[in-house]
């Protein structure tokens, strides 16, 4: 605790400079692996939070709402006679000594040591088992909510991961509902939490503020993606249910139109369509003398406000999906891979990932010299260059069926035809993954070969009417069709 306001101001400025230097030093350090990089980002984020809180304290001091800073400054700056300076100086020195005599611990406190500890601490970051320390998304709860809702449909989890951000596929009459809004809020909440845990240096609030300002302009012009036809639909409905108020001079004349016609005219203009026939006619008759823009808001339906909120949440969600695009692709590939694995294989793979993560954290201080970027061998060191050339690991093979995935070396290329990625691609094409399709990586070639195999199977198919043989009592051989025809005629 500082002995004066000026001392507190000086100490706060010193803390700011120290935190800035520590943040720069931490960012200049090259992390050893992905886990270390994540910890580094969280440490820097913690320093930035301390900078913000310390700056807020400085702002409060400079605003000087209680006048303490002004009083202290006046005692130092007012010196009408030169001989009064030294008495004031020694009086102030005596106060400082008394303060430190009463607070012995304040004489030896070094906050620099406390800040140095920020570089050594390991932040606590919570991830689920499915997220694998930020490698994948865990969308299972949102997936269950989607398939059990009216606006959802039954599909595989892997397909949901690739399409959950494509909200334009859902009908508008299903989107403008409270359950759909709650579903979008759950997605936005999860993606925001995941982005904060995996990329803590992203300024999410700044991104959302910019999106909201752009959204207001786009919504006014009817240019929000997925909601562009809002105004055109309203104009078409308005044209179909047009009621020219110039032909009506009293409310009673409007009542004669009937409840349905009045409701169509009101809803087409965005007004409430409920109530009795008299109330509907009175509400519509208000537009005869008052423009729609100047009408009291209590007469308008609340549906447009709900649609606007839903559209804004969709825009925010899609922006976060753009930032997390690589993670979404990894999650989809992981979900497809699990479809081809047994429970034992999945458990073995999970244990292998845990062992690999532990080894990375243990060996993060060891830097391996590998300028040629050679693959790692069984001992964790780069393989010899002659072995690299022998196996042709510099040769790239691409497979269109696997989504243009690259395989390095002939051995890996030949092995991939039996692996999960190629099997999933063949299953999506509706073609069995047999030996006939080895060495085929083009989708068109695979389809053409499958058509030829099916046509040959049709020619070689067993046809009992023509190929099954019968013998009469004289020893003559006939096929089944000829034998049954002769027998039916009584010739045999």
């Amino acid at each position: 605790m500082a002995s004066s306001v000026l001392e507190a101001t000086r100490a706060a400025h010193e803390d700011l400079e120290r935190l800035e230097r520590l943040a720069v030093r931490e960012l200049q350090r090259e992390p050893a692996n992905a886990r270390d990089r994540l910890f580094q980002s969280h440490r820097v984020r913690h320093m930035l939070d301390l900078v913000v809180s310390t700056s807020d304290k400085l702002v409060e001091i400079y605003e000087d709402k209680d006048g303490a800073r002004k009083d202290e400054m006046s005692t130092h700056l007012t010196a009408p006679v030169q001989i009064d300076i030294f008495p004031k100086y020694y009086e102030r020195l005596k106060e400082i000594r008394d303060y430190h005599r009463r607070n012995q611990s304040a004489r030896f406190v070094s906050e620099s040591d406390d800040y140095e500890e920020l570089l050594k601490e390991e932040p606590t970051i919570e991830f689920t088992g499915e997220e694998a320390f930020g490698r994948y998304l865990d969308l299972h709860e949102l997936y269950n909510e989607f398939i059990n809702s009216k606006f959802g449909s039954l599909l595989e989890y892997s397909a949901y991961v690739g399409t959950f951000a494509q909200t334009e596929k859902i009908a508008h009459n299903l989107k403008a509902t409270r359950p759909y809004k709650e579903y979008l809020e759950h997605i936005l909440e999860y993606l925001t939490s995941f982005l904060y845990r995996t990329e803590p240096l992203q300024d999410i609030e700044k991104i959302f503020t910019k999106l909201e300002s752009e959204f207001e302009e786009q919504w006014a012009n009817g240019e929000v993606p997925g909601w562009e036809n809002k105004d055109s639909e309203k104009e078409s409905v308005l044209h179909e249910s047009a009621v020219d108020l110039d032909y009506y001079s009293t409310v009673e004349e409007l009542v004669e139109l009937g409840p349905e016609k009045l409701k169509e005219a009101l809803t087409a203009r965005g007004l409430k369509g409920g109530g009795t026939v008299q109330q509907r006619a009175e509400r519509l008759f208000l537009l005869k003398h008052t423009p729609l823009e100047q009408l009291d808001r209590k007469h308008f339906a609340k549906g447009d406000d709900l649609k606007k909120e839903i559209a804004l949440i969709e825009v925010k969600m899609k922006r976060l999906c753009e930032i997390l695009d690589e993670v979404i692709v990894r999650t989809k590939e992981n979900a497809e891979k699990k479809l081809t694995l047994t429970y034992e294989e999945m458990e073995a793979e999970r244990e292998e990932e845990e062992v690999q993560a532990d080894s990375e954290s243990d060996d993060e201080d060891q830097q391996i010299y590998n300028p040629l970027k050679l693959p790692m061998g069984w001992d964790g060191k780069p393989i010899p260059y002659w072995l690299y050339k022998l196996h042709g690991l510099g040769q790239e093979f691409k497979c269109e069926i696997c989504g243009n995935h690259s395989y390095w070396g002939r051995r890996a290329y030949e092995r991939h035809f039996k692996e999960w990625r190629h099997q999933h691609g063949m299953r999506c094409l509706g073609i069995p993954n047999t030996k006939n399709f080895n060495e085929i990586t083009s989708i068109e070639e695979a389809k053409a070969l499958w058509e030829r195999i099916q046509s040959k199977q049709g020619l070689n198919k067993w046809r009992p009417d023509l190929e099954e043989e019968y013998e009469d009592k004289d020893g003559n051989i006939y096929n089944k069709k000829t034998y049954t025809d002769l027998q039916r005629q009584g010739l045999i």
Side-chain angles (χ1 to χ4, degrees):
M1 179 177 178
S3 58
S4 65
V5 177
L6 290 179
E7 175 62 20
T9 307
R10 185 207 61 77
H13 280 290
E14 182 183 358
D15 291 343
L16 286 178
E17 292 179 5
R18 187 179 295 116
L19 286 168
E20 290 173 1
R21 287 197 297 269
L22 287 175
V24 172
R25 194 207 310 177
E26 179 68 7
L27 289 174
Q28 288 176 343
R29 183 181 63 84
E30 187 67 26
N33 48 50
R35 183 185 292 260
D36 188 30
R37 182 178 293 105
L38 184 59
F39 286 155
Q40 180 192 61
S41 300
H42 275 274
R43 281 192 290 266
V44 174
R45 177 57 186 258
H46 181 48
M47 294 176 194
L48 294 178
D49 291 340
L50 290 176
V51 168
V52 172
S53 60
T54 307
S55 300
D56 291 339
K57 294 177 182 178
L58 273 175
V59 170
E60 293 180 2
I61 293 175
Y62 283 119
E63 286 179 351
D64 197 22
K65 294 181 180 179
D66 57 355
R69 183 172 181 273
K70 183 179 179 181
D71 294 341
E72 188 169 341
M73 291 290 292
S74 62
T75 60
H76 290 285
L77 297 178
T78 55
V81 185
Q82 189 174 359
I83 59 174
D84 292 335
I85 294 177
F86 290 103
K88 286 182 177 293
Y89 168 76
Y90 287 112
E91 181 182 350
R92 184 65 186 141
L93 180 60
K94 183 177 180 299
E95 291 179 3
I96 294 174
R97 286 176 174 173
D98 291 341
Y99 170 78
H100 284 284
R101 191 179 297 111
R102 291 192 303 270
N103 302 275
Q104 293 291 331
S105 60
R107 299 174 62 185
F108 305 103
V109 170
S110 177
E111 295 187 359
S112 61
D113 295 338
D114 296 337
Y115 289 126
E116 289 291 339
E117 290 296 324
L118 294 176
L119 299 178
K120 302 177 183 178
E121 67 179 9
E122 186 173 296
T124 303
I125 314 168
E126 294 183 357
F127 288 103
T128 64
E130 184 71 20
E131 289 173 337
F133 212 79
R135 284 182 54 82
Y136 312 114
L137 295 172
D138 186 3
L139 301 175
H140 285 87
E141 291 186 7
L142 299 170
Y143 166 70
N144 291 329
E145 185 177 353
F146 176 80
I147 62 175
N148 292 305
S149 61
K150 292 182 179 179
F151 52 81
S153 57
L154 291 176
L155 71 168
E156 292 287 343
Y157 176 72
S158 58
Y160 171 78
V161 173
T163 59
F164 76 95
Q166 301 174 7
T167 56
E168 59 274 4
K169 294 183 179 180
I170 302 175
H172 274 265
N173 60 331
L174 298 176
K175 292 169 73 172
T177 56
R178 292 287 176 186
Y180 180 72
K181 180 187 175 185
E182 293 175 359
Y183 165 72
L184 286 181
E185 288 175 344
H186 294 161
I187 293 181
L188 185 63
E189 181 182 357
Y190 174 74
L191 293 180
T192 304
S193 169
F194 185 84
L195 187 63
Y196 176 78
R197 286 177 288 152
T198 55
E199 299 184 30
L201 297 181
Q202 282 275 8
D203 194 347
I204 302 177
E205 294 183 359
K206 183 178 180 180
I207 295 173
F208 284 169
T209 303
K210 183 180 178 181
L211 281 178
E212 289 171 1
S213 61
E214 294 174 354
F215 173 81
E216 292 296 334
E217 183 178 354
Q218 291 177 350
W219 182 263
N221 298 329
E223 299 174 353
V224 178
W227 302 84
E228 299 92 342
N229 300 326
K230 175 174 65 70
D231 294 333
S232 59
E233 290 176 0
K234 186 179 287 186
E235 289 175 3
S236 62
V237 174
L238 184 61
H239 177 73
E240 293 174 1
S241 59
V243 176
D244 193 351
L245 297 176
D246 294 337
Y247 293 102
Y248 301 93
S249 56
T250 61
V251 176
E252 286 72 18
E253 294 178 3
L254 284 173
V255 172
E256 296 176 359
L257 292 174
E260 294 301 325
K261 189 71 175 177
L262 290 172
K263 182 178 181 180
E264 291 179 4
L266 288 168
T267 54
R269 292 169 170 81
L271 300 175
K272 294 179 179 178
T276 62
V277 180
Q278 182 70 22
Q279 291 172 340
R280 296 178 187 179
E282 291 174 355
R283 198 177 302 127
L284 184 60
F285 193 73
L286 293 173
L287 296 175
K288 185 174 178 65
H289 305 291
T290 308
L292 186 64
E293 295 78 11
Q294 300 178 8
L295 207 61
D296 194 346
R297 296 299 301 175
K298 68 180 181 180
H299 298 298
F300 287 89
K302 296 181 179 180
D304 284 347
D305 295 336
L306 179 62
K307 290 179 181 179
K308 184 177 179 181
E309 293 175 4
I310 292 173
L312 178 59
I313 298 175
E314 285 184 355
V315 170
K316 291 181 178 179
M317 180 194 71
K318 290 180 179 179
R319 181 70 185 96
L320 294 184
C321 289
E322 291 175 3
I323 298 174
L324 297 170
D325 181 58
E326 293 183 4
V327 182
I328 294 174
V329 172
R330 272 203 308 268
T331 305
K332 187 173 185 296
E333 292 178 351
N334 185 53
E336 292 171 351
K337 179 180 177 181
K338 284 185 175 181
L339 294 176
T340 63
L341 299 178
T342 62
Y343 176 77
E344 290 77 11
E345 291 173 335
M346 285 191 286
E347 286 296 319
E349 185 176 356
R350 185 179 294 111
E351 291 177 1
E352 184 179 351
E353 289 180 354
E354 292 177 356
V355 171
Q356 184 178 2
D358 293 339
S359 62
E360 284 181 355
S361 60
D362 294 338
D363 301 336
E364 60 184 10
D365 295 332
Q366 300 179 3
Q367 298 293 333
I368 299 175
Y369 181 69
N370 187 14
L372 297 179
K373 306 296 183 183
L374 299 174
M376 296 298 173
W378 60 270
D379 56 353
K381 297 179 181 179
I383 64 174
Y385 184 69
W386 64 267
L387 189 62
Y388 174 80
K389 296 293 289 184
L390 177 65
H391 290 292
L393 298 181
Q395 189 176 5
E396 181 183 11
F397 296 89
K398 282 195 174 183
C399 180
E400 187 181 1
I401 297 175
C402 297
N404 289 324
H405 190 78
S406 296
Y407 296 93
W408 296 92
R410 183 73 190 177
R411 184 180 179 185
Y413 170 71
E414 293 177 353
R415 188 188 301 166
H416 99 276
F417 289 103
K418 297 181 180 180
E419 293 178 348
W420 68 270
R421 194 190 303 273
H422 193 83
Q423 290 177 359
H424 178 75
M426 295 292 284
R427 192 183 299 113
C428 291
L429 295 175
I431 302 174
N433 189 26
T434 60
K435 291 183 179 180
N436 296 325
F437 295 93
N438 278 1
E439 301 293 332
I440 292 180
T441 58
S442 172
I443 294 176
E444 295 299 327
E445 292 179 3
K447 288 182 177 179
L449 179 58
W450 178 236
E451 290 176 0
R452 289 200 300 270
I453 291 175
Q454 286 182 316
S455 62
K456 284 184 179 180
Q457 286 177 347
L459 293 175
N460 299 328
K461 190 176 180 181
W462 167 255
R463 292 171 294 177
D465 290 343
L466 300 177
E467 298 178 3
E468 190 174 356
E469 295 180 345
Y470 286 81
E471 183 179 356
D472 63 4
K473 62 182 179 179
D474 296 328
N476 299 315
I477 303 299
Y478 306 97
N479 59 37
K480 182 179 180 180
K481 184 176 182 301
T482 305
Y483 182 84
T484 52
D485 288 342
L486 293 174
Q487 192 178 40
R488 195 179 299 114
Q489 296 172 17
L491 300 177
I492 298 179

